[in-house]
Amino acid sequence: MKTCIVIYNPNSGKVLRAKFLREYQAVLAQYGYQARIIGTEYRGHAKEIATHLQPVDLVISMGGDGTFNEVMTGNLARVKPLVLAHIPVGTTNDVGVMFGYGKDLKQNLLDLLDGVVRGMDIGLINGHPFVYVAGFGKFMQISYETPGKLKKTYGQAAYFLEGVKDFFRPTKLYKLTYGVNGIEKQGYYSFMLISNANRIAGIDNFYKDVKLDDGQFEVLFCNFRKAIDIIRTLGLLAVTDASKISGVEFYKTNRIEIAFDAYPRKAWCVDGEKLERAVLKYEISNVRNVQVMLPRKNINKIFLKGLE
């Protein structure tokens, strides 16, 4: 019999009741997995669990994008990483939607177990993994500063409420230098995004034709002083190629170095969570061919290696 560990966050969006978790164990058993389910007890616990697990055939993360980030971080700290999967139970669930999951948690598990394993690129910011996005600047702190109680009560609307507050705050410009693809530039920027995803902040088709296994990630800088211009740009990305939007600097790359002129006041947002340590220099690269199991639904859309 195959072995499986489910690492779930009891504080993510939907409440995972004991009865439901038993049903999950039953479904896994039907697919030949002897499963153990472990609930996290504090921030960083999912990372610790994934790092120190005995080898198993499959590790499933159940929670929000931040929970998957923790499990991925712990897995990449292992000498020999394990096959991971993620079932979304959070508020926004960008990664889950991108992978092809719906809202029915039991059906999501069935779709996963009928799915396939693919090698996926995972980003690194100063060695810290991010599954799909790392961002800095205007609006980027909303996901990690929105109180958990509000998210449980209002869902995605909680982020909107926090966004309205930030909209009316002054937009700060940060002086920085970056080097990418042999180009070095210096300037003042209010917003930057490094990602490997076609859905960010609940916006579908954020970029066109993104592949999670092409060895590259997408980089976007903008220097707008007005919050409304940043919002307008994010809206344009759903219908226009980023390289054609005025006021935006856009690249596809596998490495970028960013240096701030002064210590930034706010922290980077990494997969919806706060990157704790603020430094002046950041190096962003990626790890290739990280083994992830996911449903078949969007494989041909988001992977170069589609269904055979």
Side-chain angles (χ1 to χ4, degrees), residues 31-284:
Y31 278 78
Y33 286 97
Q34 181 180 7
R36 181 185 171 202
I37 299 177
I38 306 173
T40 60
E41 300 175 7
Y42 47 85
R43 186 176 181 183
H45 194 195
K47 173 187 172 182
E48 292 176 12
I49 295 168
T51 301
H52 300 295
L53 281 176
Q54 292 297 314
V56 292
D57 295 295
L58 178 65
V59 178
I60 300 176
S61 156
M62 287 188 70
D65 297 329
T67 302
F68 190 32
N69 177 280
E70 280 198 28
V71 174
M72 181 64 73
T73 300
N75 191 44
L76 291 180
R78 300 174 63 91
V79 174
K80 187 175 181 181
L82 305 169
V83 177
L84 296 191
H86 176 62
I87 292 181
V89 195
T91 304
T92 304
N93 297 322
D94 284 323
V95 174
V97 174
M98 179 171 67
F99 283 178
Y101 289 114
K103 295 183 178 181
D104 187 319
L105 295 183
K106 186 173 181 180
Q107 186 59 52
N108 285 344
L109 178 60
L110 293 170
D111 290 343
L112 168 65
L113 296 174
D114 287 327
V116 295
V117 175
R118 286 291 180 269
M120 177 176 166
D121 301 331
I122 299 297
L124 297 174
I125 176 167
N126 285 357
H128 182 94
F130 61 95
V131 175
Y132 79 111
V133 66
F136 181 86
K138 188 68 171 177
F139 299 124
M140 281 290 96
Q141 81 286 352
I142 290 172
S143 62
Y144 63 73
E145 288 189 349
T146 301
K149 186 175 181 180
L150 280 181
K151 289 189 280 186
K152 276 189 174 293
T153 304
Y154 299 109
Q156 273 191 275
Y159 294 125
F160 175 77
L161 294 173
E162 289 296 311
V164 170
K165 293 179 187 177
D166 197 38
F167 180 86
F168 292 102
R169 298 184 188 117
T171 300
K172 180 175 176 56
L173 292 176
Y174 297 87
K175 184 180 180 181
L176 58 88
T177 302
Y178 68 82
V180 58
N181 297 342
I183 300 168
E184 185 166 307
K185 295 194 70 172
Q186 184 180 83
Y188 289 86
Y189 300 91
S190 57
F191 177 86
M192 65 195 77
L193 206 63
I194 294 97
S195 62
N196 187 36
N198 65 0
R199 177 185 164 96
I200 300 172
I203 302 173
D204 289 315
N205 299 314
F206 195 91
Y207 291 124
K208 308 297 175 292
D209 197 31
V210 170
K211 303 299 181 187
L212 307 188
D213 59 343
D214 64 356
Q216 296 188 309
F217 46 83
E218 287 67 39
V219 178
L220 182 147
F221 291 89
C222 71
N223 57 11
F224 300 127
R225 294 176 179 269
K226 296 181 179 179
I228 189 63
D229 291 328
I230 296 175
I231 292 173
R232 187 179 295 117
T233 298
L234 296 178
L236 283 172
L237 286 169
V239 294
T240 306
D241 188 281
S243 62
K244 298 178 181 178
I245 299 175
S246 178
V248 165
E249 296 166 18
F250 176 76
Y251 307 92
K252 288 180 73 74
T253 187
N254 60 10
R255 180 184 176 86
I256 182 169
E257 294 179 347
I258 301 171
F260 285 82
D261 183 59
Y263 283 99
R265 214 175 29 170
K266 293 288 185 179
W268 282 76
C269 178
V270 175
D271 290 343
E273 301 294 332
K274 183 179 181 179
L275 184 65
E276 292 292 349
R277 187 164 177 244
V279 296
L280 291 177
K281 295 183 178 181
Y282 294 86
E283 179 183 314
I284 296 97

Side-chain angles (χ1 to χ4, degrees), residues 8-28:
Y8 82 97
N9 182 355
N11 295 313
S12 285
K14 300 171 185 175
V15 177
L16 296 175
R17 295 181 175 86
K19 178 184 176 183
F20 184 82
L21 293 173
R22 288 196 296 270
E23 290 178 357
Y24 253 55
Q25 279 187 309
V27 171
L28 285 161

